Amino acid sequence: MRFEDDTGSDNIEDRRGGGGGGLPIGGRSIGVGTIVLAIAAWYFGIDPSVVLNLASNTPAPQQQRHAGPVQESASEAQARKLVSVVLHDTEKTWSRIFQAGGAEYPKPKLVLFRGQTPTACGTGEAAMGPFYCPGDSKVYIDLAFYDELSRRFKAPGDFAQAYVIAHEVGHHVQHVLGISDKMRQAQQGRSAAQKNALSVRLELQADCFAGLWAKQAVASGNLTLEPGDVEEALTAATAIGDDTLQKQARGVVVPESFTHGSSEQRVRWFSRGLEQGEIAACDTFKVREL
């Protein structure tokens, strides 16, 4: 993967430097039990934000300011640079798409953190993996996730890392377009299985939006995909499918508990976005079969 313009984004918020301590949410702290539940939720195919929001139905916390320079390894510095460049390209790509429709794209912030951090959706936990919080329009990532993606999930590579960021930015696009809110309204009064099924459609659309970004970035001439890049992203999509994660966690697959989609579905919808590069091609809510 190669970018002609490797300028980094200005919308990076780095919380990794020094300090730490408690994680106040609305004047109180999320308990260790809640964090454990959120971690377990992620491994068992349940959206961890549900647990966090139940534990903290409060306004966005004040941003913690950490003193001191950021100490990082060479691999972490490389990952930080890649994340920043990918975010910058998503900003340019989605801005063009929104402008073509007569609208302005509000750029999200991307927060780098280590371990835990306060968010408008509750306490963010590194074990949850990267996530998007609609309450503050921010993408959160502990860069150690990329080591986990490479070692535990056997999905290394820079385009695999880019796919992760593009997927979370896809959730931001859904939030801006009002898709996320409509989905949550549709979940009201439904059974747990029906709510999960709607969540799967939202996640698969974000996968499609990630592929759409790559297609548009290549078409603009800024992104060049090299041999093996697409395979890296597809390997990552396969590794984090609900069925794959559930098999690893407990040896049993429970489709009605899926919240992100199976490995096959994630690969299919990312590939669809990559092939067609159009928002209309990513309407997972209108198709019968995912």
Side-chain angles (χ1 to χ4, degrees):
M1 180 180 72
R2 186 178 72 254
F3 288 96
E4 296 303 319
D5 175 12
D6 62 355
T7 304
S9 172
D10 293 328
N11 293 302
I12 301 290
E13 183 181 327
D14 198 337
R15 300 182 185 176
R16 298 174 300 159
L23 293 169
I25 302 294
R28 59 190 179 86
S29 296
I30 294 295
V32 173
T34 301
I35 294 174
V36 172
L37 282 174
I39 297 171
W42 183 74
Y43 279 109
F44 283 85
I46 302 170
D47 188 349
S49 66
V50 173
V51 177
L52 295 176
N53 282 323
L54 285 174
S56 177
N57 187 19
T58 59
Q62 296 252 334
Q63 176 185 334
Q64 288 185 324
R65 299 190 178 277
H66 302 303
V70 175
Q71 301 296 322
E72 59 183 3
S73 64
S75 62
E76 193 177 22
Q78 184 178 12
R80 170 180 50 78
K81 172 64 175 177
L82 182 142
V83 163
S84 183
V85 172
V86 170
L87 181 64
H88 184 232
D89 195 86
T90 65
E91 291 168 347
K92 294 191 296 182
T93 297
W94 283 108
S95 290
R96 287 195 300 269
I97 294 172
F98 271 62
Q99 286 170 4
E104 183 177 352
Y105 174 63
K107 301 173 184 177
K109 287 278 189 180
L110 187 145
V111 178
L112 302 175
F113 72 99
R114 286 174 176 153
Q116 301 170 354
T117 192
T119 83
C121 299
T123 300
E125 169 68 37
M128 293 162 49
F131 62 95
Y132 173 73
C133 175
D136 53 23
S137 298
K138 293 181 180 180
V139 173
Y140 291 84
I141 183 170
D142 184 324
L143 294 175
F145 172 78
Y146 285 145
D147 292 331
E148 186 83 351
L149 188 65
S150 177
R151 291 199 307 267
R152 180 171 181 265
F153 296 112
K154 310 301 181 186
D158 53 5
F159 196 55
Q161 296 177 0
Y163 155 68
V164 170
I165 299 302
H167 171 92
E168 299 306 333
V169 170
H171 282 311
H172 175 66
V173 172
Q174 291 171 322
H175 175 57
V176 173
L177 294 177
I179 297 171
S180 305
D181 288 341
K182 288 181 180 178
M183 187 276 292
R184 291 186 176 88
Q185 290 171 5
Q187 286 180 319
Q188 295 178 6
R190 303 289 186 95
S191 68
Q194 290 171 328
K195 290 178 180 178
N196 289 341
L198 288 168
S199 176
V200 166
R201 290 180 182 272
L202 191 75
E203 293 294 337
L204 293 179
Q205 185 178 61
D207 279 333
C208 190
F209 282 170
L212 182 160
W213 157 73
K215 173 75 170 183
Q216 293 277 347
V218 169
S220 73
N222 192 45
L223 174 63
T224 299
L225 294 180
E226 299 167 324
D229 281 340
V230 173
E231 288 74 15
E232 289 175 3
L234 296 181
T235 298
T238 299
I240 56 179
D242 283 328
D243 53 343
T244 301
L245 292 176
Q246 288 185 357
K247 283 179 183 177
Q248 292 176 350
R250 53 186 176 181
V252 178
V253 176
V254 185
E256 58 267 27
S257 71
F258 287 1
T259 58
H260 287 64
S262 68
S263 295
E264 182 182 1
Q265 288 171 331
R266 301 199 71 167
V267 166
R268 182 184 305 125
W269 282 96
F270 173 79
S271 299
R272 182 166 178 162
L274 184 61
E275 291 165 2
Q276 300 192 35
E278 299 291 339
I279 289 181
C282 295
D283 194 346
T284 55
F285 291 93
K286 285 189 176 180
V287 298
R288 178 168 303 201
E289 296 292 333
L290 292 171

